[in-house]
Amino acid sequence: WKLRRPYKIRTSSFREHTLLLGGDYDVPVNQRCPDFQQCKVFSEDLKKARKKLHLTQAACAELLDLSVSFEKDLERCRCSPSIENFYHICRTLSISADDCIFPEDSQKTNSTYHELLRLLSLCDESSLKILTATATALINEKQNTST
């Protein structure tokens, strides 16, 4: 009798490990997942977005049309979503996919910048022309006052 699925145990430091049956070693999560840092960034962003919307994990899972256990596993970095789920989660919860994929660039921008980008995608051509003229005028005014 041999169990094929790995089962999870907790160590005294509460770091999750997987004991691979048939082997005499355990492998930490951050060594099992080659994209652990990206997974961690996404799980932190998911949790922040959920809390910003004042949602419980169950309510968030329902909003995303995911199981509660899968949503919890995503937040705990136990798994990563498919590209389709990643897209759906980012769009639904207004998470920046760029910040998840390129975390080193996320310090260069702030939430106001990302909010503006999201709002721009909702504007028609006429509104975009007005915003472009306004932004140009603001930049020109700033440059004139600094000289």
Side-chain angles (χ1 to χ4, degrees):
W1 182 89
K2 188 170 184 168
L3 186 62
R4 294 186 189 272
R5 246 176 96 199
Y7 69 92
K8 295 177 179 170
I9 61 170
R10 291 225 182 251
T11 64
S12 59
S13 66
F14 293 101
R15 285 188 56 199
E16 186 176 310
H17 286 67
T18 299
L19 180 62
L20 302 174
L21 295 180
D24 57 349
Y25 57 90
D26 53 347
V27 182
V29 172
N30 62 358
Q31 292 175 10
R32 280 188 294 131
C33 180
D35 296 329
F36 181 74
Q37 289 305 319
Q38 285 184 331
C39 178
K40 189 175 178 182
V41 169
F42 175 71
S43 66
E44 290 170 357
D45 286 351
L46 174 60
K47 190 173 186 175
K48 276 190 246 176
R50 176 181 63 79
K51 288 185 174 194
K52 182 179 179 183
L53 295 172
H54 307 289
L55 296 172
T56 63
Q57 287 179 321
C60 185
E62 186 176 336
L63 176 68
L64 296 170
D65 198 26
L66 302 172
S67 70
V68 177
S69 62
F70 184 64
E71 199 279 339
K72 287 180 178 183
D73 285 346
L74 287 173
E75 279 193 20
R76 293 181 182 138
C77 203
R78 290 183 178 165
C79 62
S80 56
S82 66
I83 190 69
E84 293 85 5
N85 279 338
F86 176 73
Y87 175 80
H88 175 65
I89 292 166
C90 288
R91 294 289 294 186
T92 305
L93 299 179
S94 297
I95 296 172
S96 170
D98 285 346
D99 287 351
C100 294
I101 296 170
F102 306 107
E104 62 279 355
D105 293 339
S106 67
Q107 265 89 34
K108 296 178 185 171
T109 59
N110 59 28
S111 61
T112 305
Y113 175 84
H114 289 296
E115 183 63 23
L116 182 58
L117 286 178
R118 279 189 281 280
L119 291 172
L120 288 175
S121 67
L122 302 173
C123 293
D124 61 6
E125 190 63 31
S126 173
S127 298
L128 289 173
K129 287 180 182 178
I130 294 168
L131 289 170
T132 302
T134 304
T136 303
L138 285 170
I139 291 168
N140 289 339
E141 182 181 324
K142 184 177 179 180
Q143 288 174 346
N144 291 338
T145 57
S146 65
T147 55

